[in-house]
Amino acid sequence: DASLAALGLIRVELNAAGDVCATLRHMPAAAAEPWQAVCCSAPWFGPVATGTKHGNWGAYQRATASAREQGASTCLMLRNGHVVDGDRCTPLVLLKPVEGEVHRQPVVWRPAEGCGAVHSVTVALIESHLMQAGFTMQEGPPLTVEALHDADEVIVVGSGVGVQQLRAVDGKIVGNGKTRLLQAARSALQQARRGGWYTVTAVAQCLKHLPAEDGWKHWPAPTGEWLMPSIAQVLLEHRLWGDSAIERGWAPDRLLLHSGGPPSDMATFSMLAGPPTLRFRARQPRPSPHTDRSMCKTSGRSNTGADTKRRRLGTAAEGRIPLLGENGAMRPELCWACEEWSTEQWQPLEPTVSALSLSSALRNVAVAARQAHPSRMPQGTTDSSHLPIRGSSIAGLMGYDLVQWTEPLNLDCVANPDELIGVLYRVDRWLLHDRSRGTVSLWALPGDPWGTHVARVVDGCLPALRPLDLKPINPTPLQHGCKAPGSNCGSAISSMDDESHKKVVNSVQDLIRSGHLYQLNFGRQWTGRLREHPWDLMLRLFTVNASPYSAFLMVPDEGLALCSSSPELLLSTVGGMATTCPIKGTCKRGRDTAEDAKFREEMVADKKELAEHLMLVDLERHDLGRVCKAGSVAWESWRVESFPRVQHMTSRVIGRLRADADSWEALAAVFPGGSITGCPKTVTIAAIDELEPIPRQMWTGSMGYCDLQSGDSQWSILIRTLVAHKAKPDEDNAAKGAATPTHEHSRNCCDCWTAEVKAGGGLTIGSVPQAEVDEAKAKAEKLLHTAFGACTETVSVSTGCNHVEDLGQYEIKPSNPHAAALLSAFSEAANGKARCCPQDCCTAWRCWSHGDPPLAPITAGDVIGESVGSPRVLFIDNLDSFSLNIVNACAILGAEVVIVNGRGPQAPSAAEAFDGVRPTHIIIGPGPGRPEMSPLTMELAQCALAGSLGIPLLGICLGHQALCLAAGCRLVASPRGPVHGVPEDIHHDGQQLFGGLPSPVRMVRYNSLVVLEAEAKTEEETIDQQGRLTACAWDESRTLVMAVRHTRLPVCGVQFHPESAGSCSGSALFN
């Protein structure tokens, strides 16, 4: 009705009870005099507040009343001393021009929603009109009341107050009396209210950018890997991500998980985390007063290689593993301090979560994240089922030093006390790029201010986005000295010289010959000053070193940035299925596709490369076996993947999680990855602690996410990774003798950032020292060149692959005897999995420790032949990385397996283990070192030979050696050299254990030591002094004993590993 239109505005409200209230508001007339204002504290609705102030009008009503009592027209709302809102209006400030920028458009400031301001529909409606009038609209950064005094003009805008000029706040003059903004805003409001009314079209246009009610908004998009970095750069420019987001009240912490290179079946999504509101930080615990820290190595960024403190030697290097519990060594609690973002900084939030294991600590973090402000957590719908997340997620960084809570070791070479070792965020906002479907998806709470702004930005920029144009970097020489880091950009200092690196290779080979380990991954470090900001470096790496698990993290208040171009997946859990994709085996790229294929064939024909890869597959099967159902763990695929600089041999190992295991337990089971530690994992981690001069800290840790709703997760291994640290202004200038830099210089200058690049490789008995040095440099080269402009001596930066469009995956072909043999075992394992009993028929395994109550006995008939009930196997775990493969092989056959630790202070005696478990069978498992290092192993071997057990016993590798030692045989270094991860023809006599198996049968060996017959034998047919053991299998040369059995008792031992993925007929042998 035209007569009503002249009266003003009708406001319609719907309350929770369903009642409708309509209020008629007159169109306010312009005030004769400028308004006076007073200040009061603003309520905090959280960083996602918008629209209706969440129904809490009390504070605003009290502010209005307070203003009237003081004779003022309105009240400005302050939070932490900054203007965030008005009681019935929104303040707009015409900022004074910056000196020297006379031609710049006038800038109009308004409060940032993330700082606590509430979305103003009136401001949104007049914003476009003001821009047409020549003004630039700027949201944030927060302004103090004092800043209003320097402004050219201050006005307030609202649906009820119209547009009014503000002349004083708390009695002090603001603005300089100009009315340019006042007149333009009144004109804009009149245009917006046609005849005094908002149109439905205008309101809909204002609100259209809000996410849908389920939190999702989707756009069609290109599939190119360049898209997400380009979007991230646009968000930075709009102050919606990164350091400048703090000006709008959002956390400046950045996290981007990027799928680079060709789309793969494992990494199809790039995921940008919006500003987080909840954070958890873990720091290295302080040592207890009884800990002797003088025996520890120096750690941190100041150490460039020389050990300036004494360090403990002669433990792992001599086969003595520093286990927890020995000499009173105890594991400290792992604490994650919870923090909440509040406008300008992170604030502590109780409680701090802690636990004595990584899996428990992470599980507690997830619980705390769910309980903190659950109303801010979006929930997914079935429409998002194809996306990797369903709702809020835990995402972030876990440093390698968290190994202290996954392995039973007392380690020395760890981060300094209170140094950051992990940071995790609860992410409630995601921007996702699905490269397989060609879509971009925004995930946020309905009405979330950040989501609203991002939707508007993506709407506007997506059609015009193109790959970023980056300037090239010229190389500079790489230094290999052991000096302190240089102060100039563009240089890098190595933590050790090449000769020292070669000595480490020789030392590791001595450990392998002694039987202490099979393979060890060693790394060295380069340190220098960056030539550009870490984010600019990461943009460059996205282009020149595309990788499927790339990641960028920045934690500004820690001065930490991390740039990763990782090609390797540590763990993925989707729908209860766990997957790990180990990488082992590397060759260079060729000049064309034909040369690529040639190098691949050479790698697959390399016996060392195949052995390392099989070893890693067996290790990952063991790690997944900790948390997956027996019979579900499988070696699913084996292929070569090409990357811009190298080609890698990769595999996929999968398993179905047990009902009592979650994704956090799965993550702890595989952390840290076997490809960057070695085998057996526990002893190699102890050896790395002694051999590497600098703590690994973040390198070879992990970055990724876990969805809090579904439990789906994905975590990478942090290789090909640079860790940057921002120098404090006083430190940076003291080093260079310069004056204190400006804030802008401190934020952008590359001189403020020092960085570390680590790289290495797997060392085996077949390693060539110079080749290992070259491989480490080749792996680090691209990062060194990009970060410091440094190039190694191994490969010229100008060489390499010039046909990167041919990145992809290639199946392994049986082009040589070694690959053909392994492919045969791979096929047999796949077929065997299809034929094995259903997973629900497999029995579970359990652990038993000293002090646990005895298990109930099993009712059985002839336990040597057919049993009435399920057999119970006592398995002695000697810290091997293949133990769970043996355990699950027995469980598949219907056995109940009880695991007892064979090493460490908690290992029971043979009598305690036998009486506590009450087994029907015993298996003494493999392990590093010699059998004498496991008293329980030797005691059981002696009891078995004496006939006091009365049940079958099988010794595998170390267990086999224990039987022979107990019988008086000799245990020596193999005269034919160590053999690890190599399938070999085993010749046998076809009796008992080998009944029904072909001879020769192909089995995988992992041994450096072999058994020789006793020097004074009593019988020709036996190998021991008392005529109790006879050899029944031999190696390919028929000179080395590969199996023994007792002449009268059901006791036998095998030197090979029937449980290996590369062994044939292993299940038949266990059966």
Side-chain angles (χ1 to χ4, degrees), residues 512-753:
I512 295 173
R513 292 186 189 96
S514 301
H516 297 312
L517 49 88
Y518 314 149
Q519 183 255 21
L520 180 142
N521 195 88
F522 176 80
R524 62 190 282 190
Q525 174 177 297
W526 290 266
T527 306
R529 286 185 178 271
L530 295 183
R531 302 189 298 171
E532 56 188 342
H533 189 277
W535 172 247
D536 298 321
L537 168 65
M538 190 74 247
L539 291 176
R540 205 175 299 281
L541 290 173
F542 286 147
T543 302
V544 302
N545 205 22
S547 298
Y549 303 104
S550 298
F552 178 78
L553 173 73
M554 179 168 280
V555 189
D557 55 341
E558 290 282 351
L560 173 70
L562 189 144
C563 305
S564 179
S565 298
S566 174
E568 187 165 3
L569 173 73
L570 174 66
L571 178 74
S572 169
T573 58
V574 178
M577 290 298 297
T579 302
T580 184
C581 295
I583 290 177
K584 191 59 69 175
T586 304
C587 67
K588 60 185 177 181
R589 294 296 306 273
R591 288 166 294 186
D592 51 36
T593 55
E595 195 170 40
D596 269 354
K598 173 178 174 290
F599 291 150
R600 283 197 300 273
E601 290 180 6
E602 291 174 354
M603 175 175 63
V604 174
D606 189 312
K607 193 174 181 179
K608 172 186 175 289
E609 300 280 17
L610 289 178
E612 278 195 86
H613 193 83
L614 177 59
M615 191 185 311
L616 186 56
V617 167
D618 283 341
L619 184 152
E620 298 300 347
R621 290 172 56 237
H622 160 87
D623 282 354
L624 284 187
R626 300 171 187 257
V627 292
C628 290
K629 294 181 179 180
S632 71
V633 178
W635 181 16
E636 188 184 57
S637 72
W638 181 28
R639 65 193 184 190
V640 174
E641 296 186 21
S642 59
F643 297 91
R645 301 286 301 178
V646 296
Q647 301 182 87
H648 286 306
M649 199 180 330
T650 69
S651 280
R652 181 184 300 177
V653 181
I654 64 169
R656 178 162 294 281
L657 293 176
R658 298 193 311 267
D660 62 339
D662 58 13
S663 56
W664 300 119
E665 193 167 349
L667 179 59
V670 300
F671 183 92
S675 64
I676 46 76
T677 52
C679 188
K681 185 187 278 190
T682 300
V683 71
T684 55
I685 289 172
I688 288 169
D689 190 59
E690 296 178 6
L691 292 169
E692 292 187 2
I694 300 173
R696 289 193 170 188
Q697 296 183 304
M698 303 309 175
W699 181 60
T700 64
S702 186
M703 279 183 66
Y705 70 90
C706 179
D707 183 70
L708 288 173
Q709 183 173 337
S710 66
D712 292 352
S713 66
Q714 182 170 281
W715 299 89
S716 68
I717 297 181
L718 290 176
I719 54 176
R720 317 289 198 274
T721 296
L722 175 144
V723 181
H725 304 275
K726 188 174 184 179
K728 296 178 181 178
D730 54 342
E731 295 175 352
D732 187 60
N733 289 282
K736 298 193 295 183
T740 302
T742 64
H743 170 73
E744 190 67 21
H745 173 85
S746 176
R747 189 177 71 179
N748 296 320
C749 180
C750 62
D751 271 354
C752 295
W753 291 91

Side-chain angles (χ1 to χ4, degrees), residues 52-316:
T52 64
K53 303 180 175 65
H54 290 208
N56 181 10
W57 289 91
Y60 284 79
Q61 292 168 343
R62 289 190 295 272
T64 300
S66 175
R68 288 173 178 169
E69 290 173 2
Q70 298 178 59
S73 305
T74 188
C75 184
L76 293 185
M77 315 292 284
L78 305 184
R79 180 168 176 78
N80 295 331
H82 294 104
V83 179
V84 297
D85 212 348
D87 63 336
R88 296 166 292 149
C89 52
T90 299
L92 298 180
V93 180
L94 181 62
L95 300 177
K96 187 172 292 185
V98 178
E99 186 175 351
E101 296 184 0
V102 295
H103 301 296
R104 182 182 176 185
Q105 282 189 321
V107 177
V108 176
W109 173 94
R110 63 183 174 91
E113 293 168 23
C115 294
V118 179
H119 182 73
S120 169
V121 174
T122 304
V123 172
L125 286 169
I126 69 172
E127 193 171 38
S128 61
H129 298 287
L130 290 177
M131 294 172 69
Q132 291 175 8
F135 294 92
T136 297
M137 302 299 294
Q138 174 181 301
E139 185 180 58
L143 291 183
T144 62
V145 174
E146 289 73 18
L148 303 185
H149 301 158
D150 295 329
D152 274 357
E153 191 176 350
V154 182
I155 64 173
V156 291
V157 177
S159 61
V161 304
V163 179
Q164 308 293 348
Q165 186 177 37
L166 204 60
R167 194 71 185 100
V169 177
D170 290 337
K172 296 182 180 180
I173 300 299
V174 297
N176 60 11
K178 295 181 180 180
T179 61
R180 177 181 176 184
L181 177 61
L182 176 70
Q183 300 302 325
R186 284 178 174 170
S187 173
L189 186 59
Q190 289 293 338
Q191 294 177 57
R193 290 173 161 179
R194 282 204 232 142
W197 293 89
Y198 291 107
T199 68
V200 174
T201 303
V203 174
Q205 181 69 22
C206 180
L207 301 178
K208 79 170 187 176
H209 296 291
L210 293 176
E213 284 303 310
D214 66 353
W216 284 106
K217 184 174 176 62
H218 307 279
W219 296 265
T223 59
E225 61 184 303
W226 55 268
L227 182 65
M228 186 57 82
S230 296
I231 292 178
Q233 188 66 18
V234 171
L235 296 184
L236 279 172
E237 294 166 359
H238 282 77
R239 296 178 296 124
L240 293 169
W241 196 59
D243 293 345
S244 57
I246 197 171
E247 298 175 359
R248 306 178 78 157
W250 293 311
D253 302 45
R254 303 187 220 176
L255 175 63
L256 173 59
L257 308 175
H258 180 57
S259 168
S264 74
D265 48 4
M266 293 303 298
T268 60
F269 285 91
S270 291
M271 306 172 62
L272 183 146
T277 58
L278 206 64
R279 184 174 76 175
F280 298 85
R281 285 190 290 183
R283 300 188 181 278
Q284 178 66 31
R286 292 181 175 273
S288 68
H290 307 291
T291 303
D292 182 9
R293 297 303 292 179
S294 68
M295 300 299 287
C296 302
K297 285 185 277 186
T298 56
S299 67
R301 300 175 292 280
S302 60
N303 186 354
T304 60
D307 286 339
T308 56
K309 295 182 181 179
R310 290 184 301 127
R311 59 190 177 102
R312 184 186 62 206
L313 291 174
T315 52

